[in-house]
């Protein structure tokens, strides 16, 4: 077992309907807040959230996976919520984010783990699958394209570039932080509501998101993921993913074209896709059972 600090004191950090415990783990020289569930001896599964979420984005998938006997670990990724947030933009480069993943696998004294990632968590998962394939038993990308597909699509598809234009806004210093915090985080709340199916996020959900966003330095750290990617655009050492891979894709994603999912399969030696209709970029919230079933199918 990893060395852990004291369990989370914040009573809102772990809802009563989510199994397991909230704790802290040392990995890759950093301190990560994680939620752990399932038998300690089970196969390790890491669930990686995206922007602007935190571990809570996977809350509906924790119990189904833990009930299957997996050791489920859901970290707040670097800079998010209660995890450590280094101060430099360069500390959020993709290489460091991927090293956090292998560091977590090491922290749990495992050779390999199954990695599931949504949005930015999927980007980190792709990079880890490409550069540390011996550490992943399987990989599930949820509305997150292969990095080569992202690069080529952005350079050749003006419509996708427009969809991703918010990332350019995030490059400004201080202004994005000020605007997103204004009026009790009205901008990110509106973005999540407008881009998801009606009723996907509740008032209680947004209370939790606001608490996570409002932690000192957290939102700047979250934006630094985008800033680091723009300042230094890394190219993978190889394009082909050897790790068994499944893409899960909500068809009505307003940020990423559906075609990018199928283009990503071209780079997978052993890949498949689960298309989820009546779902958007936030598919794991909108169709939690279908997403959990697809993950379990891939892991088995």
């Amino acid at each position: 077992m990893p060395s852990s600090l004291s369990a989370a004191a914040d009573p809102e950090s772990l809802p009563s309907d989510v199994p397991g415990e909230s704790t802290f783990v040392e990995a890759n020289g950093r301190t990560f807040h994680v939620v752990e569930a399932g038998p300690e001896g089970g196969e390790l599964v890491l669930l990686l959230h995206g922007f602007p979420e935190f571990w809570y984005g996977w809350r509906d998938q924790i119990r189904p996976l833990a009930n299957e006997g997996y050791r489920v670990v859901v970290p707040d990724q670097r800079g998010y919520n209660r995890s450590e947030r280094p101060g430099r933009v360069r500390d959020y480069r993709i290489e460091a984010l991927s090293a956090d993943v292998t560091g977590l696998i090491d922290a749990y004294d495992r050779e390999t783990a199954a990695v599931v990632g949504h949005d930015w968590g999927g980007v980190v998962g792709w990079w880890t699958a490409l550069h540390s394939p011996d550490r992943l038993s399987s990989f599930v990308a949820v509305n997150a394209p292969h990095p080569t597909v992202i690069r080529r699509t952005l350079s050749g598809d003006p419509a996708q570039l427009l969809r991703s234009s918010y990332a350019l806004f995030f490059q400004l210093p201080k202004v994005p932080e000020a605007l997103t915090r204004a009026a009790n985080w009205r901008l990110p709340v509106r973005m999540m509501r407008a881009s998801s199916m009606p009723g996907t996020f509740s008032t209680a959900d947004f209370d939790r998101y606001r608490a996570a966003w409002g932690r000192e330095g957290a939102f700047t750290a979250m934006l630094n993921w985008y800033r680091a990617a723009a300042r230094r655009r890394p190219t993978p050492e190889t394009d082909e993913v050897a790790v068994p891979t499944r893409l899960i894709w909500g068809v009505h994603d307003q940020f990423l074209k559906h075609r990018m999912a199928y283009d990503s399969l071209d780079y997978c030696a052993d890949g498949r896709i689960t298309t989820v209709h009546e779902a958007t970029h936030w598919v794991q919230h909108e169709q939690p059972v279908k997403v959990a079933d697809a993950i379990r199918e891939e892991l088995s």
Side-chain angles (χ1 to χ4, degrees):
M1 285 299 297
S3 59
S4 300
L5 303 179
S6 60
D10 182 358
E12 295 185 352
S13 64
L14 193 63
S16 60
D17 59 345
V18 174
E21 65 174 345
S22 169
T23 188
F24 291 85
V25 172
E26 299 294 326
N28 191 30
R30 303 289 180 183
T31 303
F32 293 88
H33 171 251
V34 302
V35 171
E36 305 171 336
E40 293 184 6
E43 178 186 349
L44 182 63
V45 179
L46 299 179
L47 304 180
L48 307 179
H49 65 81
F51 177 89
E53 302 201 83
F54 59 111
W55 76 263
Y56 185 74
W58 286 113
R59 66 193 180 281
D60 292 324
Q61 285 72 41
I62 295 174
R63 184 179 297 278
L65 292 173
N67 287 347
E68 288 288 318
Y70 294 106
R71 182 59 166 171
V72 183
V73 174
V74 196
D76 289 331
Q77 293 208 77
R78 177 181 294 224
Y80 280 81
N81 193 33
R82 307 183 71 199
S83 286
E84 185 175 339
R85 35 187 161 269
R88 302 176 302 176
V89 171
R90 63 181 298 176
D91 293 323
Y92 298 88
R93 291 175 177 174
I94 190 65
E95 296 90 345
L97 305 174
S98 178
D100 291 343
V101 175
T102 55
L104 282 166
I105 298 173
D106 290 337
Y108 284 87
D109 197 25
R110 307 300 176 91
E111 292 294 325
T112 63
V115 171
V116 182
H118 172 249
D119 185 74
W120 259 112
V123 175
V124 174
W126 281 111
W127 193 268
T128 308
L130 287 165
H131 294 88
S132 303
D134 58 318
R135 305 307 306 276
L136 271 58
S137 57
S138 58
F139 171 50
V140 179
V142 183
N143 280 70
H146 186 289
T148 300
V149 172
I150 295 175
R151 186 177 69 254
R152 292 180 177 176
T153 304
L154 287 174
S155 64
D157 187 335
Q160 179 58 58
L161 187 62
L162 182 62
R163 290 190 185 200
S164 304
S165 59
Y166 62 89
L168 298 176
F169 167 64
F170 289 164
Q171 304 307 312
L172 298 173
K174 298 184 180 180
V175 174
E177 286 92 328
L179 290 181
T180 51
R181 182 181 289 273
N184 197 23
W185 304 96
R186 180 173 59 186
L187 189 61
V189 167
R190 180 179 296 177
M191 177 275 292
M192 293 175 73
R193 280 185 171 146
S195 59
S196 60
M197 293 293 179
T200 297
F201 297 103
S202 69
T203 299
D205 291 336
F206 282 121
D207 287 342
R208 293 185 180 276
Y209 285 112
R210 289 186 182 98
W213 300 336
R215 296 187 188 277
E216 184 177 359
F219 213 85
T220 293
M222 293 160 61
L223 295 177
N224 281 345
W225 285 50
Y226 289 93
R227 291 163 177 162
R231 294 181 187 183
R232 176 177 167 275
R233 300 180 182 180
T235 301
E237 295 175 0
T238 178
D239 286 333
E240 185 176 68
V241 178
V243 177
T245 300
R246 180 184 298 261
L247 286 98
I248 301 175
W249 204 273
V251 172
H252 302 288
D253 192 323
Q254 293 184 18
F255 306 108
L256 301 166
K257 286 190 170 183
H258 189 196
R259 174 176 57 82
M260 299 174 78
Y262 291 96
D263 289 345
S264 297
L265 283 182
D266 294 338
Y267 296 96
C268 298
D270 179 13
R272 64 216 117 257
I273 186 168
T274 298
T275 299
V276 184
H277 298 277
E278 299 303 318
T280 70
H281 185 73
W282 314 100
V283 57
Q284 77 273 33
H285 299 277
E286 296 158 336
Q287 299 290 342
V289 175
K290 289 184 178 180
V291 171
D293 286 348
I295 294 171
R296 287 186 295 183
E297 181 181 344
E298 184 61 33
L299 270 52
S300 65

